[in-house]
Amino acid sequence: MKELLEAVREGRMDDIRPLLARLDRGGRKAVLEELKSLRKEARGWRWGERTRVRKAILVAGAGCHTGAAGCATWLGARDMRDWTHSPYPWVLEVLGDREPDWLADLARRLAARAVESEAEYRLVEELARRAGCPLPVSDGMVRAWAERADHARWQGGAQKPVVDVLRPDAHLAALVPHLLTMPELPPVVAWVDSRSAAGCWPAALTTLVAEGLLDRAALLDGCVARLLRGGKPTDLRFCLTVVRGLGPTEEEEAARTADWMAMAADGPSPVAGHAQEVLARLDARGALSVRQLAEVSGAVLFRTEKKLVRAQLILLGKVLRREPSAADDLLPVIADAFGHPDTDTQERALKLAARALPAATPGVREETGRMASLLGPVHREAARAVFGELLEDGPQAAYEEILPPPPAPRPLGPPPGSAAELAEEVTAVLLRPRQEDVTAFERALDGLVRYAHSAPEELVAVLEPALAGMWWAAAPEQDVERRLSREHDGLHIVAASLLGRIPRRAVHDAQTRRAGSGSCCHDALNGILYARLWEAAAEVRSGRLPYLLATPTWHTGTIDAAELVERLRGYQALGVPAGPVDFAQALLRVRRTDAEEAARQASALGTVQGDRLAAWLRADQPVAAVVPRHVETDVPVARDWVRQTVVRARRLLLATRENPFVRERFPRAFHWLGSAHSPRNQKCYCWVAQSPQWTATLPEDGETLAAWLLPSVAACVQEERGGTWLLPALAETGGAAAGAIHLALAYGLGARHPEDRLAAVDALLVLAARGRLDAGLLGGELAALLEGESVKPNRLADAARTAAGTGAYGTVLSVLVPLLPALLARERAPRGLGDLLAVAAECAEHSGPPATGPIAGLAETAARGGTTQLVRQAIRLETACRAGTG
């Protein structure tokens, strides 16, 4: 046993098998216990030594295990895979004396675990070969097999077609069916090079089917089932390509009619489009009954994709021309399309119903006439011509604007009731990668300061075991100091300082280093947070402060003025001076509106902090006033590699004025906020994730914060993603909501990516619900951005349609009306103007005509004639406006 352990420690792989052969079952069990201890010991070694010894431990441990389950667990452990060159040839050697059934069991167990490399795949494959059993199949095995095949394509220099690599594979028939059942296809399988599609996986599989190496029915069933189940677009595109490559016969398509119907009803657009084509072929062959057609049409006609809806109506028209007797079954389905949000779809459905109506029974005609009341106002006259007295004109309900309830401020609640409760909250915050939850972060920070003052020994006693797993708990002190000083790891700074993991000198030095206020708003806002953290890190060591002044009253970060006065009164009673950074942050957070009584009480305290608070409340001035004039900038947004030029874009931004009070009376970490800033002089080379701490730093100055963040928000109209994430939080801030917030919202509504536009829609609805939306101002800002081509009309139309879909028709219409005249006056209509008119028309049909009167240029556009989307929607909007005033 001793010789074997020495060989393992020295990494002598070739000596392990003969030394194992000398041991009986009891000896191997004893060695295994020693190997487990050595495995734990090796975790702290250097990488090179650890890797060499771990390979020997892996091989020896595999040979010492007498059960397949234990051996599979040993071989599959993640910490035993830390190697460059595979140790599995030696593993196969030490397992050479095992029975075939034992090897088959091991192969199955290993396959069921995470097979992540070609080496592990080869190990399972060789075990199955020696056992004489079929290759066990799992997601990991299929993934490793696919990557192995992809690597083989590139061997020998020239790229081989996938089919040439797969054709000689003995396990092809077992692995391919499982491939289609995986939650996600391996990327190397799903990716198709459009330039050489014939050499990729879909073409290879269809070729192998044609050669008889794969079962056609199984592959077709697998792909169809995958299309029904849904998944990533790349996976569905792969399956669609395979299905089209197989070219299903008439019998194969007919046998899967129910599947095509389900895909057409609920599948993603490309899948539904293909299913719709198959159903059209089935109908042409007489293999699709009228009842089946009616069933699938009812679902397809409610889809939002215009192409699918149009194709379905065309199919229904063909069937009705061929079989007029089908009118009773199909007319109710067509009538359902009268309520489709797209007016073109309504028009097509109305024309189709008009052709089919004579062949329908009286009951169906009557029901279809009732459904015609769902048609938009623009089609009312045509509907009356078709249905006559069957068209019901019920009383129109009074319009009521639907807006979300205004966000109610949520109080932070009382501080933690015990040190143990605080330890739970602190641990939860530290386990998050960022301080995304302002409420949890502020409660934890204030709780640490409170208990460091009132019960420091108890606090340390509960935090030590709770935070023992943190990276800084056992790291060398100089490493902790270096990382926390460089990366400013949030609440880790305060917790590590409280538990003595950071020297006092390091805390003092960090406070001094953070005295600067940054070069851009991101640096400045983060710098204020870091200054607060390092000040708190010093205070928890001294236990001087009973609580923090800057702890918010509500989730937005705002502090109630009367509550801040009471906190200062508590400091006065204890004779404790406030922390400079903490007090400055409290001033920025205090609610300044209607605070005269709080200002009087603060002044009555007779303290320096009380007088400063009173002056701040009475001044009721923003931390930095926004200059109400656009600053036009020209910024690089991309590079044209063909022409070797930089693509630049025009941006409208805003500047802010200097605030001498902030620069003279606040700590240096806040001086950037009080300086004058112009976008033309502002240089920001940092990339930082947006943080809710920014709005919590200035919860009563959303207008100022919006002006500083405008460059980040404006970048979303180009390639950037995620810049509008803070817009809903900005809409909840206090203070004025003027040009900066509305310009930021305008950029957000025209953002490139749908998720960014959705955040802007949320902000729009929040502003409207709070009564702070200036629709005319927002419309003017949008008009300016559209004029400069910073925002595209089709993207704005998408955002407006989303907002209107919530029931805020009047709000959306009031925003769109100011920007339409300039767009309608252009000699050449911009792309997407028809979509904007469609949204405006829908809003006017629901909420009535705009209160500002006729829209300039609309009548002229409607009178142009023709059937373009622009003219049709202009006519629709003009009709809705006339109907509302008539």
Side-chain angles (χ1 to χ4, degrees), residues 641-725:
W641 294 102
V642 176
R643 297 181 177 86
Q644 291 297 306
T645 58
V646 175
V647 180
R648 307 185 72 85
R650 172 177 172 263
R651 297 267 174 84
L652 299 180
L653 304 174
L654 294 169
T656 55
R657 294 191 175 100
E658 181 182 22
N659 188 332
F661 186 86
V662 173
R663 290 194 59 81
E664 294 168 7
R665 305 292 298 275
F666 279 57
R668 285 190 60 194
F670 296 80
H671 286 183
W672 190 96
L673 309 185
S675 303
H677 297 290
S678 171
R680 289 177 180 159
N681 306 325
Q682 194 70 31
K683 302 297 181 184
C684 176
Y685 300 103
C686 62
W687 186 94
V688 290
Q690 295 195 43
S691 168
Q693 292 288 345
W694 296 349
T695 52
T697 300
L698 296 170
E700 293 298 299
D701 287 284
E703 181 73 3
T704 302
L705 186 57
W708 289 337
L709 293 176
L710 263 177
S712 301
V713 178
C716 286
V717 300
Q718 299 294 337
E719 296 294 334
E720 296 297 328
R721 188 189 296 265
T724 66
W725 185 72

